[in-house]
Amino acid sequence: MPTPLPGHLPRALTITLWDFTWYTRTGPGEPFADLDRAFAEAADRGYNTIRVCAMPLLLFGTGIDTSRLRLEPLGGGYGQRVRWYDVRAATEIDGRAHLLALFEAARRHDFYVILSSWEYQQSPSFAADRAWYDAVMAIDPERRPEALADAFADMLDFLAAHGGLDDRVAFTELHNEVQAGHLTDGLPGRDPVTELRPRLERGLARFRERQPGRPVTVNYAEVPVGSLRGVPREVDVAVFHPYVYGVLGELIQTFALRDASRPFPQDAVRRALLRDGAPGLAQWALPESARWKLDATVVSQREMYTHDWCDPGKWDAWLYDRYATHRLAMEQRLVTWIEAAADWAADTGVPLVFGEGWVGYTPLHGTFEEGPVGAAICRRAVAEAARVGALGTVVCSNAAPHHPMWQDVTLQRECNALLRA
């Protein structure tokens, strides 16, 4: 039987995605320099839940001293126009103390926290040295979910021992988008969702041994409609990220941004997407001392380069020019995926949450998802989530303090009210 969620949770979880940014961007003037302000702004927009990378392996699974954890930009101006990577300044925090500060602020503002991890996707790339990355990669791929389970179990004990702050936890995800990162290392790669299932089942079982009675799950990129049989039925919450891509997928395919097996069409990219004066891909590289950071992130060098050097107007125009040919398919995919996720959750007897979504990964200053088309997709997605009875959803992955969409207060209030209603 699934472990029920805590009875004191709100009836609807209105989620803002704070990911790893709540600790990477804490310097002066950064969006999380003042946690109380960030929570107050979130409450004003209608949110009651944050979803974060809690860096469990770093804090409780590697033995690394995090009392003076140094975090920094990627280096050399790299990533400064890329979403999630535009860290402005190096900072130093006490990792565990900062975790307690987050939970204490959540309690003050009556928020709940979805615990997750991005450590096998990109969190370690923001560290000043590679010790964190090397430590998590040194764990045998077969037991990485179990290591995450142990680290999260220790974290929950730590929160409980500090004023009962574990009451702020809505549920725990062993990892973010499990089929889209280094949790799949060593697998054949034909169908990572089904291939991962045994590893994840062992991780879920390990967490339950350590923390019986606490809800636990994993989450998936997109909604893997052809592989839903691979999602462990032992999860306590069904969590999916319906990024529909569509016209954005055409852009990524046209310019080979994620396909290293094809030549990079530098001249075509320059004409169609880049701003004047952009260097070539070969010239835009991290300093030698920081090259390891490219291994520590799942975002391709091509995609990061194009986001860094694009002219946002050109990028948006490319999408708008072709959107009409994708509009219906994108809408149909969004609705179909939401309904498929709801059907799987209903069959399994667990609540449904959409912790990220809707269009996909766009440049920091691109406005396709913040503009009229994207706003309409947000409204439709939240309405569909409400229609199928989802427990929780984001307004959009970009609706958070570190993205420009945070300033669209009206849209966020409207969508959050829709879910609560």
Side-chain angles (χ1 to χ4, degrees):
M1 291 292 292
T3 300
L5 296 181
H8 57 272
L9 291 183
R11 184 175 59 86
L13 301 182
T14 50
I15 303 164
T16 174
L17 178 63
W18 288 11
D19 47 80
F20 37 80
T21 312
W22 69 276
Y23 56 82
T24 62
R25 299 190 61 184
T26 59
E30 293 270 57
F32 295 98
D34 184 337
L35 288 173
D36 279 305
R37 176 179 176 178
F39 275 112
E41 290 180 352
D44 181 58
R45 289 157 173 76
Y47 296 104
N48 58 29
T49 304
I50 63 171
R51 180 169 169 266
V52 300
C53 171
M55 43 184 169
L57 290 175
L58 175 64
L59 296 183
F60 296 94
T62 62
I64 294 173
D65 180 4
T66 60
S67 61
R68 299 185 65 181
L69 175 62
R70 294 184 298 124
L71 302 162
E72 64 181 17
L74 295 186
Y78 207 87
Q80 287 302 297
R81 295 164 68 94
V82 180
R83 288 189 194 274
W84 288 284
Y85 288 83
D86 56 321
V87 178
R88 297 290 183 241
T91 55
E92 184 176 282
I93 62 172
D94 181 324
R96 292 190 180 187
H98 196 59
L99 178 74
L100 292 177
L102 179 79
F103 273 79
E104 288 163 351
R107 176 175 283 174
R108 286 193 295 272
H109 295 270
D110 197 21
F111 266 68
Y112 294 89
V113 182
I114 298 171
L115 294 175
S116 192
S117 172
W118 275 250
E119 289 169 292
Y120 284 107
Q121 288 182 308
Q122 63 255 92
S123 300
S125 66
F126 298 99
D129 62 62
R130 59 180 299 152
W132 181 5
Y133 172 62
D134 288 340
V136 300
M137 293 301 290
I139 299 171
D140 184 339
E142 282 295 327
R143 63 170 302 271
R144 285 173 185 172
E146 293 165 88
L148 285 159
D150 278 327
F152 271 125
D154 289 344
M155 178 178 291
L156 288 164
D157 287 342
F158 176 77
L159 292 170
H162 287 80
L165 289 171
D166 56 315
D167 73 341
R168 296 292 98 193
V169 177
F171 57 87
T172 300
E173 302 171 351
L174 293 186
H175 203 274
N176 179 65
E177 297 183 348
V178 290
Q179 85 273 41
H182 290 294
L183 288 183
T184 64
D185 287 358
L187 296 174
R190 290 184 290 271
D191 183 355
V193 173
T194 56
E195 292 164 3
L196 263 176
R197 183 170 177 169
R199 293 181 182 180
L200 298 177
E201 287 175 338
R202 292 195 297 271
L204 294 166
R206 179 61 177 161
F207 183 91
R208 287 202 172 87
E209 289 174 9
R210 295 284 313 278
Q211 295 288 349
R214 293 189 189 269
V216 63
T217 188
V218 294
N219 83 61
Y220 290 84
E222 303 180 339
V223 178
V225 291
S227 304
L228 284 170
R229 69 191 184 282
V231 179
R233 297 183 70 85
E234 296 85 354
V235 298
D236 299 314
V237 188
V239 187
F240 299 100
H241 297 169
Y243 288 115
V244 296
Y245 275 87
V247 66
L248 179 60
E250 182 187 345
L251 185 151
I252 291 168
Q253 171 69 17
T254 297
F255 299 108
L257 297 189
R258 298 181 180 177
D259 186 358
S261 69
R262 295 165 51 199
F264 182 65
Q266 180 72 70
D267 291 342
V269 170
R270 187 180 299 281
R271 288 192 302 271
L273 299 176
L274 301 189
R275 63 190 194 271
D276 293 341
L281 174 64
Q283 287 73 51
W284 186 238
L286 282 170
E288 186 64 36
S289 63
R291 295 287 171 85
W292 65 270
K293 292 174 181 279
L294 291 179
D295 297 327
T297 174
V298 293
V299 179
S300 75
Q301 183 179 7
R302 294 178 178 191
E303 191 164 16
M304 193 170 292
Y305 158 78
T306 308
H307 284 209
D308 255 333
W309 286 102
C310 78
D311 177 328
K314 286 184 177 181
W315 180 287
D316 289 346
W318 200 100
L319 296 178
Y320 281 121
D321 284 347
R322 294 158 179 79
Y323 173 63
T325 63
H326 289 272
R327 182 189 63 79
L328 183 58
M330 290 172 69
E331 183 175 326
Q332 289 174 334
R333 174 178 284 183
L334 179 67
V335 173
T336 298
W337 278 3
I338 287 174
E339 289 181 341
D343 183 65
W344 190 92
D347 183 56
T348 313
V350 297
L352 173 66
V353 168
F354 298 113
E356 296 182 30
W358 312 110
V359 176
Y361 195 32
T362 53
L364 176 63
H365 299 296
T367 61
F368 185 78
E369 197 147 13
E370 284 83 353
V373 167
I377 293 172
C378 291
R379 292 186 182 96
R380 178 63 187 272
V382 175
E384 291 297 320
R387 179 180 66 82
V388 301
L391 169 70
T393 185
V394 291
V395 171
C396 173
S397 295
N398 297 347
H402 45 297
H403 300 296
M405 186 183 274
W406 194 241
Q407 304 311 314
D408 192 344
V409 178
T410 300
L411 174 66
Q412 292 168 88
R413 287 175 177 169
E414 175 188 342
C415 289
N416 285 326
L418 180 63
L419 184 70
R420 290 196 305 271

